[in-house]
Amino acid sequence: MKLRHRFNRRHMPKAALLILGLTLTIVFKSTVSAQTEIAVGVYDYPPIASVNSENQAEGLLGDLLGELDSTNNNVTFRVVYTSPKRRHLDFHAGLYDVIFFENPSWGWENLPVSTSRPILMDDDIYVALSKPGRDQSFFDNITERHIVAISGYHYGFAGLSTDNAELEKRFSIEFSHSHSRNLELIKADRPSLAEVAVVSRSYLQSHMNNHPEDRGRFLVSDSPDQTYLLHIMARKNGPIDTDNLEQLLSPLFKDGRYQQLVGRRGLQLPPGIPDSATP
């Protein structure tokens, strides 16, 4: 569209021209040198994401943010620690604008977010103590078992509800804030408290790699509690949208760096992202 009106410099006061020139200069310099700071919400979700004592992201998320920081000079990421239970409230309060590795069905339905394509896949599985005579039928009626789970996580057997009071009425369930503690409760063999832990497959694999002495101690369900695709969620009208985030990620997908990060953590790529770099 062409502008129909033009400024006539001959009829503008010199002071006005000076102010206009300064304004254009400031805007130009700001555009060139401006950096976009992205506040990223992170809660403990190992080995995919967690926050250390120095408020830095760890796990796959830490690896990914490190790659993005090193390849994009005009974008910086600031970690905002939250919790599984509090993450939606903190988002609503404006404490952060982007969260990685989330599923849209996990409480985001009524919040002003846009969603990227899937960038990761995982599932939750049931874990019990391995005992003589105990087999897969032990998981047939999971809701009748004493369950240990993490407060604020969304589970298939619970219909994705995170209301602890409601879940305690419906099930015999114990909540904690750690997969590690839940597996320790299973190993303690206290069936009146914990018969089945619900953990992510990625965490159980990581635990076995770090604690090979536990191999063979657990009975693991063949059928998952749920399988889910994980996305990036970004605030609508926030500092960056999911289209721009996908553009930042695109070079990592194309040259295979993202796939290598996922593979090193023993995680699963979703359909649509090739296992290796595109030729």
Side-chain angles (χ1 to χ4, degrees):
M1 180 183 295
K2 295 183 178 179
L3 294 176
R4 296 183 179 180
H5 303 286
R6 297 179 180 176
F7 289 112
N8 190 334
R9 295 183 54 167
R10 289 180 298 175
H11 297 282
M12 293 183 68
K14 290 183 178 180
L17 287 171
L18 179 61
I19 292 171
L20 177 61
L22 289 172
T23 301
L24 291 174
T25 301
I26 291 170
V27 170
F28 177 75
K29 287 184 177 180
S30 298
T31 302
V32 170
S33 61
Q35 276 198 336
T36 300
E37 182 183 77
I38 303 172
V40 181
V42 187
Y43 60 90
D44 288 329
Y45 187 29
I48 295 173
S50 58
V51 178
N52 64 21
S53 59
E54 297 177 352
N55 204 46
Q56 296 176 332
E58 293 188 329
L60 176 62
L61 179 61
D63 300 338
L64 179 58
L65 294 184
E67 288 286 345
L68 292 175
D69 269 329
S70 67
T71 55
N72 297 278
N73 295 328
N74 59 336
V75 175
T76 59
F77 297 92
R78 176 170 58 87
V79 169
V80 177
Y81 178 71
T82 185
S83 72
K85 197 73 174 173
R86 201 180 63 239
R87 70 192 192 275
H88 304 103
L89 294 174
D90 286 350
F91 178 86
H92 184 73
L95 299 185
Y96 66 89
D97 293 293
V98 171
I99 190 165
F100 286 73
F101 307 118
E102 273 284 336
N103 185 281
S105 299
W106 293 349
W108 298 99
E109 296 87 345
N110 299 316
L111 290 170
V113 294
S114 59
T115 305
S116 75
R117 63 168 170 160
I119 60 172
L120 200 67
M121 183 168 64
D122 205 350
D123 48 14
D124 292 332
I125 50 180
Y126 304 127
V127 179
L129 192 65
S130 180
K131 291 185 174 183
R134 182 175 286 183
D135 58 21
Q136 288 294 315
S137 64
F138 188 76
F139 303 114
D140 286 349
N141 298 305
I142 191 68
T143 59
E144 297 178 4
R145 301 294 182 188
H146 295 284
I147 301 169
V148 285
I150 294 183
S151 179
Y153 278 25
H154 300 256
Y155 295 108
F157 76 88
L160 304 185
S161 172
T162 59
D163 185 331
N164 287 7
E166 174 204 341
L167 296 178
E168 287 170 349
K169 290 180 181 178
R170 293 169 55 195
F171 310 107
S172 175
I173 190 166
E174 172 82 9
F175 291 105
S176 81
H177 301 284
S178 165
H179 280 315
S180 176
R181 177 181 181 273
N182 291 349
L183 290 181
E184 289 299 320
L185 288 174
I186 295 299
K187 289 195 295 183
D189 195 15
R190 298 175 60 190
S192 62
L193 177 64
E195 292 179 289
V196 173
V198 192
V199 302
S200 68
R201 189 180 302 276
S202 60
Y203 179 83
L204 184 63
Q205 180 174 323
S206 175
H207 176 88
M208 293 302 191
N209 290 338
N210 294 327
H211 301 277
E213 70 276 10
D214 282 347
R215 295 185 184 277
R217 298 190 66 177
F218 295 125
L219 175 67
V220 180
S221 62
D222 290 338
S223 299
D225 172 71
Q226 62 172 331
T227 299
Y228 40 84
L229 298 173
L230 299 172
H231 310 245
I232 309 170
M233 320 288 287
R235 183 184 303 279
K236 291 182 178 178
N237 302 315
I240 193 168
D241 59 27
T242 49
D243 287 341
N244 287 328
L245 284 166
E246 288 193 27
Q247 289 175 14
L248 294 181
L249 287 170
S250 181
L252 305 185
F253 293 148
K254 288 181 179 179
D255 66 16
R257 277 179 289 169
Y258 180 75
Q259 292 89 328
Q260 290 173 5
L261 297 179
V262 170
R264 284 203 296 264
R265 296 283 178 178
L267 298 166
Q268 304 176 67
L269 291 167
I273 296 181
D275 290 337
S276 58
T278 302

